[in-house]
Amino acid sequence: MDFLPDAIVTCILVYVTNAKDVASASCVSKRWKESIPYLNKLVFPRNIFDDVKRFSPDEIIEQMVSSINKLEELVVYCPFSGSCLASWLSMAGHSLQKLELKMDDNLIDLNSCSRKLDSIGAATNLESLKLWGVNMTRGPKWHTFHKLKNLEIVGAVTDDSNLHAALGACPNLSNLLLLGCEGATDVFIELPHLEKCKLDFNGLGNCSLTVNSRNLQHLEVQGFSGIRVLETQFLRDLIIANTAGRVSALDFGKLVALESLEMRGVQWCWHAIHYMLQLASEVKHLLMKVEFTGDFDALQPFPEIDIVDFFNSHPKLTKFEIHGAMFAALCQRNSLRNVDSRFMIPCLEEVVVTVRSPLNAEQKMSTLESLINYGKKLRKMRIRILQMKSSHSSTDDFFEDICKFTHSHRRIVSIE
């Protein structure tokens, strides 16, 4: 091993990031041991110290971190103390660019969680910060992270003011991910350089959200009933979901750049659905997976939707995914009343239809046939049959009709 060229040793050590492997590599030869200080990444897996009795995890981590001259990336999934974290970051904080910590070993001890959060402030040159299991019911004492571009927090307990304070210390974020968060009710995000934002908040689904980020390109939100986005000129991808509550109030600017829209949830107010469909007139990919509408707790079916008006209002639509209620609304008796010889669906190439009920089978088959006939560029239609009750008297007949339809258009249609 001692006779390997420096370039090959360096190339090999780039792939040695697990702390246990690093420790083993230092025993291979004197040459390799002398190369350890030039590593730039260390990873401590969750159970790495299960069989270690002689030294504490804090001592081992501190020793290994201190042995590296310029540590750029540190990932710690194993338990650690707040005082130990402060010690590591005092040594490596000046060079550290990426930091990932699993902090959920003791969420009940608020003082311990606060110390850990506060200690992160020593790594002033961070470009990426990922935290797992965070108690943020006290605002972190951070100075401004001017270089931080990526912030990901999974499983946080927080509130409106402390979340706002944490985000305020990261003014130059371009990517923000908050998953499995709870405790906040009115979330306000004002980050001028933010391009990608994914938010998933637990609870009753009645949170409100305001986003003011002029460069926003991708927005995915879950768990909000009211959503307001002030700057939308660059927004290309939008996903709105609410599995626990009702989406009731939406306020967006003009969606001139929007290419993909996904609407998911158990219940949306109809005016919110109608509002988004009107705004997204230039959309190319549309997914509708909303089961019910209604302004109050009572779940209501979708009103009838005229298929001609719908596609005339969305002339650039190339992929359309229809689930449940939306498909039923397009399959009402009068939904095809405005069809004439000039009508066509100009850009539609792919349709995914989820069928859950044999009710109105004749109208549903007519709608499927219309999509084939008027979709001049249609090259793929997938029919998904989901949880259809076989006890219904017309189920077998409907399924047989779908099979015949699939056979007649087998180059385009398939059943899943």
Side-chain angles (χ1 to χ4, degrees):
M1 294 295 182
D2 289 339
F3 296 101
L4 286 175
D6 291 344
I8 293 180
V9 172
T10 302
C11 184
I12 292 173
L13 290 177
V14 165
Y15 298 97
V16 182
T17 59
N18 187 298
K20 191 172 183 179
D21 295 335
V22 171
S24 300
S26 65
C27 300
V28 171
S29 70
K30 182 180 178 181
R31 172 88 175 285
W32 283 48
K33 185 176 182 179
E34 291 172 349
S35 301
I36 296 301
Y38 301 102
L39 293 175
N40 58 18
K41 180 179 179 180
L42 272 180
V43 178
F44 294 87
R46 180 69 178 174
N47 301 317
I48 189 172
F49 297 118
D50 283 358
D51 299 325
V52 178
K53 307 298 181 183
R54 187 175 178 183
F55 300 100
S56 71
D58 283 355
E59 291 174 326
I60 298 173
I61 296 174
E62 183 170 351
Q63 182 178 354
M64 295 194 70
V65 169
S66 64
S67 68
I68 297 177
N69 294 338
K70 192 177 178 182
L71 188 63
E72 297 179 359
E73 184 172 355
L74 177 61
V75 179
V76 183
Y77 294 141
C78 61
F80 60 90
S81 67
S83 58
C84 186
L85 177 62
S87 178
W88 314 335
L89 296 183
S90 67
M91 294 182 288
H94 65 285
S95 62
L96 207 58
Q97 297 175 9
K98 298 179 181 180
L99 179 62
E100 183 171 353
L101 301 173
K102 187 174 179 66
M103 303 177 68
D104 61 357
D105 53 306
N106 190 1
L107 284 176
I108 299 175
D109 187 347
L110 184 57
N111 291 325
S112 174
C113 293
S114 296
R115 283 196 299 270
K116 289 180 180 180
L117 276 177
D118 295 344
S119 299
I120 295 171
T124 54
N125 292 317
L126 283 179
E127 297 176 6
S128 176
L129 175 61
K130 300 179 182 181
L131 303 175
W132 300 73
V134 184
N135 189 325
M136 202 182 290
T137 51
R138 289 183 188 173
K141 297 177 182 178
W142 291 344
H143 298 294
T144 304
F145 291 107
H146 291 287
K147 296 182 179 180
L148 193 66
K149 303 296 184 183
N150 178 62
L151 176 62
E152 300 181 17
I153 301 177
V154 179
V157 179
T158 185
D159 55 36
D160 298 337
S161 60
N162 288 313
L163 178 60
H164 184 69
L167 295 179
C170 314
N172 297 316
L173 287 179
S174 60
N175 181 60
L176 174 64
L177 183 146
L178 303 175
L179 298 183
C181 299
E182 55 186 65
T185 57
D186 189 1
V187 179
F188 181 78
I189 297 173
E190 188 169 22
L191 296 167
H193 304 288
L194 190 66
E195 297 178 359
K196 187 175 182 180
C197 182
K198 183 175 182 179
L199 309 174
D200 181 351
F201 279 67
N202 298 333
L204 300 177
N206 56 359
C207 299
S208 63
L209 170 67
T210 301
V211 180
N212 186 14
S213 302
R214 62 176 176 266
N215 292 321
L216 191 64
Q217 298 177 18
H218 176 96
L219 178 63
E220 181 175 351
V221 297
Q222 203 291 128
F224 296 91
S225 62
I227 302 168
R228 187 182 185 210
V229 182
L230 303 178
E231 301 279 355
T232 58
Q233 61 266 39
F234 300 115
L235 188 61
R236 294 199 309 261
D237 304 299
L238 176 59
I239 301 173
I240 302 174
N242 195 336
T243 57
R246 179 175 62 249
V247 177
S248 56
L250 300 174
D251 183 8
F252 286 78
K254 293 182 178 180
L255 300 175
V256 293
L258 193 68
E259 297 181 357
S260 177
L261 172 63
E262 296 186 16
M263 303 163 66
R264 302 172 179 269
V266 177
Q267 184 183 18
W268 283 46
C269 293
W270 177 248
H271 65 81
I273 296 174
H274 187 257
Y275 172 79
M276 286 308 304
L277 290 177
Q278 279 190 319
L279 277 184
S281 59
E282 303 295 308
V283 74
K284 296 179 180 179
H285 174 208
L286 176 61
L287 183 149
M288 289 286 299
K289 194 177 181 181
V290 181
E291 298 301 328
F292 299 97
T293 183
D295 295 335
F296 304 101
D297 291 339
L299 302 177
Q300 302 291 332
F302 278 28
E304 187 174 294
I305 297 176
D306 187 289
I307 194 170
V308 176
D309 290 344
F310 176 82
F311 282 106
N312 284 340
S313 301
H314 301 86
K316 296 182 179 180
L317 195 61
T318 59
K319 183 176 181 179
F320 188 25
E321 298 186 53
I322 330 168
H323 295 249
M326 181 66 179
F327 181 55
L330 287 169
C331 298
Q332 297 300 313
R333 188 174 299 276
N334 296 319
S335 63
L336 294 168
R337 63 180 179 273
N338 293 329
V339 177
D340 59 34
S341 58
R342 295 170 297 175
F343 172 64
M344 64 176 293
I345 306 173
C347 298
L348 191 64
E349 297 179 2
E350 183 176 354
V351 176
V352 181
V353 180
T354 300
V355 181
R356 302 184 63 175
S357 169
L359 297 177
N360 300 321
E362 183 179 347
Q363 285 80 23
K364 289 178 179 178
M365 295 308 305
S366 177
T367 299
L368 293 175
E369 195 70 52
S370 298
L371 293 174
I372 295 284
N373 293 337
Y374 300 112
K376 301 303 181 183
K377 294 184 178 180
L378 191 67
R379 55 183 178 79
K380 183 184 295 186
M381 175 185 287
R382 287 180 288 160
I383 303 174
R384 294 173 176 168
I385 300 175
L386 180 66
Q387 297 176 344
M388 189 182 295
K389 296 180 179 179
S390 59
S391 59
H392 198 282
S393 59
S394 60
T395 299
D396 291 342
D397 293 338
F398 182 43
F399 186 73
E400 185 176 349
D401 289 341
I402 291 177
C403 291
K404 291 179 179 177
F405 173 78
T406 303
H407 182 72
S408 300
H409 306 283
R410 54 185 174 274
R411 292 185 177 180
I412 297 176
V413 184
S414 61
I415 297 177
E416 295 181 1

